[in-house]
Amino acid sequence: MPQPSVLALDVGGTKLAAGVVAADGTVHSFRSVGTGVGDGPDLVVGRLLDLAEKVLADAGHPEIAAAGIGCGGPLDPVSGVILGPPGLPGWDEVPLAQWVTDRLGVPAYVENDATAAALAEYRWGGWDVSSLVYLTVSTGFGGGVVTNGTLFQGAAGQGGELGHVVVDWQGRLCGCGARGCAEAYVSGTSIARRAAEALEAQARASARGGLGEWVTPAPEGPGAQSSSAPSGAEEPRAHGTTASGTVDGLDGRGTPAPGGPGAAPGGAGGLGAAPGGAGGLGAAPGGAGGLGGWGASLSSPLGENLEGVSALASVGEITARDVVEHARAGDELARAVWDETTAMLGRMVAVIINVCEPELVVLGGGVTRAGEFLLTPVREAALGQAMGPAARVCEVVLSRHGDRSGVLGAAAIALHRGGAG
């Protein structure tokens, strides 16, 4: 007797997705829609459940053993409660699993979306390995770990939060409240934000009569350093929130925030900073944006002054997709932002290889649509910086699941925890 299918639901900061998936990973139906995260959890979950009923109808209303739900953390996988993810503002103590069960009448299981996607890669990715790490590079950045065929979840169920590994302890402010998290540098949201910051910094430099020294102001607020120190002064770097601001989560536009792009004391700059200035283009991620732009888009308020400097200045709302396209076309500013992104991601992967020593690191998420333009520099940096023995047994690859990674991950969790496969 064939095993029943499961309902798979994926909750992201940019889009919602749903599908009906068989025990062998076959996707019988699939749909996605914009999250509209600014509408709040009640409306968004209602939208998700409407989507669920549509994919069930598309699949001919098959018998469903369970529902799996992938969502950004933190969350409680035991109770199925969402605990305020940075990319889902207002989602505090949301009993998501119970809401799904109440509406659809099946057991529902919640898991961190990247952790779930790691299990899907292990089950259905076509990789002949017993250990792997999955990294999603999308609106946010996260990961999951499978070791010796077992999903690593940690004592509190939050294990494998690779997006919040600190890569610069005095670095950029992350949406989780910490500084220097990997997510603050390599997510699609950060790519867009850093490009907008670089344009603003370039405009300020141009207004001063030269483009060679893009000096940025010091951050404001508690712990901020004075900007009166000379460039290169030996003070701690303290990158602040950006001049283009935080993402408001409704339409992906930037709202004013204190500090400046890549702000650091003493004129330590962003892209193209003068010698002695500490670099840094990143920003706090979070919020939602356009579905077609791999994460949130951000306005560049000084763009109209920069047509002669970077072609990105003519883009009304910059997305990660725009940065990739302009970097491919030879735009120096876009290429510098992209190169910093791939260098940081490559270093992050090297750290993961050293710590976990997996056979495989799989990159997924919307930003990986850049293909080899992302994979080649990340793989070269990662394997070049990792310890030799670990690097020699590891491959770095792109996911084969494409836009269905989230749904397949949710399905893997439903089968894993629901006992249906």
Side-chain angles (χ1 to χ4, degrees), residues 266-280:
L271 179 62

Side-chain angles (χ1 to χ4, degrees), residues 219-236:
E220 300 173 5
Q225 302 293 322
S226 169
S227 61
S228 60
S231 178
E234 295 187 7
E235 296 181 3

Side-chain angles (χ1 to χ4, degrees), residues 329-343:
D331 185 284
E332 291 185 11
L333 186 148
R335 186 58 190 255
V337 172
W338 185 247
D339 286 349
E340 185 187 63
T341 301
T342 58

Side-chain angles (χ1 to χ4, degrees), residues 86-139:
L88 295 171
W91 287 57
D92 302 313
E93 303 288 339
V94 173
L96 183 55
Q98 188 61 53
W99 286 359
V100 171
T101 295
D102 290 346
R103 172 87 170 257
L104 301 177
V106 295
Y109 305 96
V110 168
E111 185 55 79
N112 178 280
D113 51 3
T115 302
L119 185 59
E121 289 290 343
Y122 177 73
R123 292 184 65 135
W124 302 313
W127 318 110
D128 185 19
V129 297
S130 62
S131 62
L132 65 81
V133 174
Y134 174 82
L135 297 174
T136 179
V137 192
S138 191
T139 305

Side-chain angles (χ1 to χ4, degrees), residues 36-39 247-253 288:
V37 70
D39 293 341
V247 182
D248 65 16
L250 180 60
D251 59 7
R253 296 175 185 270

